[in-house]
Amino acid sequence: RNEVWRERAKADAVIVGGTTVRRDNPNLTTRVVGEGRHRPARIVLSREMNLPGIDEKNLGLGTGDEDDLIGQPFPKTNLWDTSEAPTIVMTTIGSRPAFQAQLRECGVEVIEFTELTPLAVARYLAKRG
């Protein structure tokens, strides 16, 4: 894990699909402590926004962190907490507009594409810098 976190700290962004969010409930952070640390953007690609809701339980089995949950309230989706790192959700135009609004209220940036493809995302991110 430490090697993954070090590599992540070198990146501008970490990109996952909706299935990873639903199954693993990742943090996608560098776990580096201290001021001035690099915090890559966490990007989620989901054409239909079939992602866990703001208040939905998301156990994220498979992360290896299940023991951390003992005695804790049920976990929500980690990526919706933008205090640790920015989160960007990329989707298709018109997908679940009410949910998009909820995410924006939490500080998640939502970008809509006419067609969500790896090429469209790469071009957008290259232009954005």
Side-chain angles (χ1 to χ4, degrees):
R1 284 187 179 184
N2 289 335
E3 185 175 339
V4 170
W5 295 333
R6 278 193 302 275
E7 288 300 313
R8 212 177 266 166
K10 297 175 188 176
D12 292 325
V14 180
I15 301 176
V16 297
T19 300
T20 298
V21 175
R22 289 188 303 276
R23 288 189 181 165
D24 296 341
N25 194 13
N27 287 302
L28 302 181
T29 58
T30 61
R31 312 294 204 286
V32 176
V33 180
E35 292 294 319
R37 63 193 164 134
H38 178 65
R39 300 178 344 178
R42 305 173 303 177
I43 300 175
V44 178
L45 305 182
S46 179
R47 287 184 184 94
E48 298 175 8
M49 295 286 290
N50 55 345
L51 302 167
I54 300 299
D55 293 318
E56 284 182 39
K57 182 194 255 185
N58 188 345
L59 293 175
L61 302 176
T63 64
D65 296 330
E66 292 80 21
D67 290 341
D68 296 342
L69 303 177
I70 297 171
Q72 301 294 319
F74 70 82
K76 296 179 183 175
T77 301
N78 294 321
L79 297 177
W80 304 160
D81 176 2
T82 58
S83 64
E84 183 69 22
T87 300
I88 303 167
V89 173
M90 297 184 170
T91 189
T92 53
I93 293 173
S95 268
R96 297 185 64 195
F99 182 43
Q100 287 189 36
Q102 288 179 325
L103 289 175
R104 287 184 177 107
E105 286 176 22
C106 291
V108 174
E109 183 178 353
V110 180
I111 309 293
E112 294 180 285
F113 290 82
T114 303
E115 186 176 0
L116 186 66
T117 64
L119 180 59
V121 169
R123 284 181 175 160
Y124 173 83
L125 291 173
K127 187 183 287 188
R128 179 177 169 143

